[in-house]
Amino acid sequence: MHSAKRREFLRAATAAAALGGPGLQALLWSKEAAAQVGDTLTIAYNVAPPSWDPNTGPSSVSPGLTSIYRSIFDPYIVQREDLSLAPGVCDQFAWNGDKSAITLRTRKGAAWHDGRPITPADIAWNLNRLSTLPAPLQSIFASIKNVRVAGDNVTFDVTPWRANMLERLTFLGCYLIPPHHYEKVGKEGFEKAPMGSGPYMIEQFERGSFLRLKANKNYWGGAPAFDTVIFKFATDAATRIAEIERGSSDLTVDMPWEEFDRLKVRPGLTGVAHPTTDIAMIFLHNIGVMADPNVRKAAVHAIDKKLICERIQRGYAKPIDTLLAPEYKGYDASITTPYNPKLAAELLAKSGWSRDKPVEFTIQTTRGYKPKDYETVQAIVEMWRRVGIKANIEVYEIAKHFELRTQHKLAPAAFYNWGNSTADPESSLGSAMFSKSPHTSWKGGEVDAALSALFVEKDEAKRMAGYKAVNRTIAENAYVLPLFQFYQPVVWKSALSFKPHLAGFILPQAVGRAGK
């Protein structure tokens, strides 16, 4: 059912309740429908893939697409729910003694969806392609040099050195595609007929509507529990709620917290809200008024993060003051930017701004992509208003955010959920704040020299100390505005088994049947 039809259904149900009919809940809910799970697993999901090459373009830096891409394409290495590394298509992996090179061993018995075995030459082809792909990941994977094959092993040098290159091979841009198929059909042909080696194969795709997958019975990791998986693309939370409530979908994510609290206790449903490696933050783009440090610092000190977490996020969030969450390496709890509206007003006054003469700029945000994202920004705008900041809200889809960020065209302030499944500061602090990074909005160069040195620092103690120092500089100068660590709400039919992933991935191959 398309979004328009879903909204029409909800309006009709609400009208029936107003007229004394069976009511919205009765129309939407049936215990029997909610309990039924057949051979098809249906997921109401909040983001849709714009393309099928998972390693290029804006799609390659969208963590939300990982759940879909990892259903179809294997990464080099698998990442467990706790973010630890595990064997994948490459069943052995390690740095050499002086950490100048990485060796990957190709798993025997792994095959592409057409049955053709995955060879070490295939792994080498993918690594060479990865190292030469254009932005947005070029700055990272250009470090892959001198790829060579010896038996089942593929070795490559890492120069310039990247501390978390192994972890990177589990994640964004690191999905294996079959060279023989890609070279045969070309770029456009691959978009029409994508192929991987993952637990599922594409059966049907309707852009912006749904994706139907069929199980790869010969998957090296074992056949998944469900023969068919359907991702229904529902970018608005109301549609996802309706899908799970009437039993049309078996699992969904990222609904408002009041809906999560209501749905998780309904007969036939269950749910969990768990901390993830995503953090809510506001990119600050140093253009116009945001180039003024007094405006940036005032924007930070005017926000009561604790109140937002308690009231709007209903306690399902943890306030943070840096780009590193507690689970990340290099986290420093002593770095704080306390709520102080009086100080915020004083800072604005130094630059000639006040409640009577407010500084004005645009803040961009998604609406319904993450729990209470829009409502959070509304609250922030009101807090800013009280000290002399007038922010105008512009709503966009998450895909638009990536497009604008890649082109460095974000507004002076842009709300976003930063994901860092490597839990390494290079992936969060480094990627978000290095001025030459395609992921950053800030284009100042004050911390560039320090970050450049840390990217190639092999002494782990020095590296972590360096990131803590840079993190403190960023906080003191308000180059970015961290808000809180996200929790992810997931609701599913109790006939299923589901294990949360710290990175927030919803992997259909990891969903099973309760009691099995």
Side-chain angles (χ1 to χ4, degrees):
M1 183 180 292
H2 294 290
S3 295
K5 291 183 178 179
R6 292 190 185 107
R7 288 193 292 269
E8 182 179 333
F9 172 86
L10 287 173
R11 285 196 296 268
T14 303
L19 293 172
L24 177 62
Q25 302 305 321
L27 282 170
L28 290 177
W29 178 258
S30 99
K31 184 176 179 179
E32 291 74 17
Q36 292 173 359
V37 179
D39 292 331
T40 298
L41 172 68
T42 302
I43 300 171
Y45 202 57
N46 59 348
V47 62
S51 66
W52 283 114
D53 187 334
N55 302 326
T56 62
S59 299
S60 65
V61 292
S62 173
L65 291 174
T66 297
S67 302
I68 295 173
Y69 285 154
R70 271 195 57 182
S71 304
I72 302 159
F73 307 100
D74 278 313
Y76 298 85
I77 302 167
V78 171
Q79 192 177 47
R80 298 186 182 95
E81 289 85 358
D82 64 357
L83 304 186
S84 61
L85 303 184
V89 168
C90 299
D91 61 0
Q92 289 186 11
F93 46 89
W95 287 95
N96 65 352
D98 65 357
K99 288 194 172 183
S100 62
I102 289 173
T103 296
L104 308 171
R105 189 179 77 173
T106 310
R107 178 185 293 274
K108 292 185 181 298
W112 302 108
H113 285 160
D114 62 0
R116 185 164 172 167
I118 299 175
T119 67
D122 292 341
I123 301 297
W125 182 91
N126 274 275
L127 286 168
N128 279 317
R129 180 175 188 259
L130 181 61
S131 70
T132 56
L133 285 173
L137 292 170
Q138 184 182 41
S139 61
I140 297 167
F141 295 113
S143 289
I144 296 175
K145 302 280 194 344
N146 191 25
V147 180
R148 58 254 188 211
V149 175
D152 292 331
N153 293 329
V154 181
T155 300
F156 62 92
D157 299 332
V158 182
T159 179
W161 192 67
R162 310 291 301 208
N164 63 346
M165 183 61 81
L166 262 181
E167 289 81 0
R168 288 276 190 180
L169 295 179
T170 69
F171 193 38
L172 297 176
C174 290
Y175 300 100
L176 298 166
I177 62 174
H180 66 279
H181 177 64
Y182 189 87
E183 291 176 344
K184 178 182 178 181
V185 302
K187 180 179 179 179
E188 292 184 4
F190 193 83
E191 285 293 333
K192 297 176 182 177
M195 182 192 296
S197 60
Y200 284 97
M201 302 177 285
I202 297 176
E203 184 178 61
Q204 185 179 1
F205 173 57
E206 293 292 337
R207 188 172 301 277
S209 182
F210 71 91
L211 169 68
R212 180 182 290 115
L213 305 174
K214 296 298 290 184
N216 177 8
K217 301 293 187 181
N218 299 314
Y219 184 55
W220 62 263
F226 293 93
D227 293 334
T228 303
V229 169
I230 297 174
F231 281 93
K232 290 185 179 180
F233 304 131
T235 57
D236 60 298
T239 302
R240 297 196 297 275
I241 293 164
E243 281 287 324
I244 193 70
E245 190 156 25
R246 66 173 176 262
S248 300
S249 289
D250 306 309
L251 182 150
T252 194
V253 297
D254 291 330
M255 68 289 297
W257 292 115
E258 63 271 18
E259 295 294 337
F260 170 74
D261 286 336
R262 180 177 65 84
L263 290 170
K264 70 179 181 180
V265 296
R266 294 300 298 267
L269 295 179
T270 188
V272 66
H274 64 101
T276 70
T277 52
D278 279 13
I279 65 171
M281 47 91 82
I282 296 176
F283 275 111
L284 300 180
H285 190 180
N286 52 326
I287 56 175
V289 296
M290 207 58 78
D292 184 340
N294 289 327
V295 173
R296 298 195 309 272
K297 293 175 185 179
V300 172
H301 290 296
I303 299 176
D304 189 340
K305 301 174 186 179
K306 184 173 181 289
L307 183 66
I308 289 173
C309 289
E310 290 175 351
R311 298 283 182 85
I312 298 177
Q313 298 293 326
R314 290 200 171 202
Y316 293 114
K318 296 178 181 177
I320 58 172
D321 293 311
T322 77
L323 283 179
L324 303 184
E327 290 82 0
Y328 296 6
K329 290 185 288 184
Y331 173 70
D332 186 348
S334 71
I335 300 174
T336 61
T337 53
Y339 171 55
N340 190 336
K342 181 180 178 182
L343 175 59
E346 291 171 354
L347 288 165
L348 289 171
K350 290 181 180 180
S351 293
W353 307 109
S354 66
R355 290 186 62 176
D356 294 329
K357 183 188 174 184
V359 60
E360 185 172 356
F361 54 81
T362 296
I363 180 169
Q364 295 165 318
T365 181
T366 50
R367 186 170 190 169
Y369 177 65
K370 285 290 186 178
K372 297 294 183 179
D373 46 7
Y374 181 74
E375 292 81 358
T376 294
V377 171
Q378 281 185 309
I380 289 170
V381 167
E382 173 58 22
M383 292 173 184
W384 282 345
R385 185 192 64 79
R386 295 172 183 175
V387 299
I389 296 173
K390 180 182 178 182
N392 304 303
I393 300 176
E394 176 187 325
V395 176
Y396 56 10
E397 297 289 338
I398 190 64
K400 188 66 176 179
H401 169 89
F402 289 116
E403 177 186 332
L404 293 174
R405 196 175 81 195
T406 301
Q407 299 171 0
H408 308 300
K409 293 182 179 179
L410 288 174
F415 180 86
Y416 179 64
N417 58 293
W418 184 272
N420 175 15
S421 74
T422 71
D424 189 280
E426 181 183 324
S427 298
S428 49
L429 186 64
S431 294
M433 300 310 303
F434 186 56
S435 69
K436 296 179 182 179
S437 166
H439 313 300
T440 187
S441 184
W442 184 262
K443 288 302 173 186
E446 179 183 350
V447 298
D448 276 5
L451 288 174
S452 295
L454 290 171
F455 289 160
V456 296
E457 176 59 67
K458 291 188 178 182
D459 185 298
E460 190 68 359
K462 290 182 180 178
R463 197 169 73 92
M464 289 302 110
Y467 273 115
K468 289 180 180 180
V470 172
N471 217 355
R472 188 174 296 277
T473 297
I474 291 170
E476 289 174 349
N477 290 277
Y479 294 145
V480 71
L481 207 171
L483 294 168
F484 53 82
Q485 181 181 13
F486 270 112
Y487 281 41
Q488 182 186 48
V490 187
V491 174
W492 65 94
K493 292 181 179 179
S494 53
L496 300 175
S497 64
F498 171 79
K499 187 175 182 180
H501 197 291
L502 185 55
F505 303 150
I506 305 295
L507 304 176
Q509 59 267 36
V511 179
R513 299 181 187 277
K516 293 185 179 181

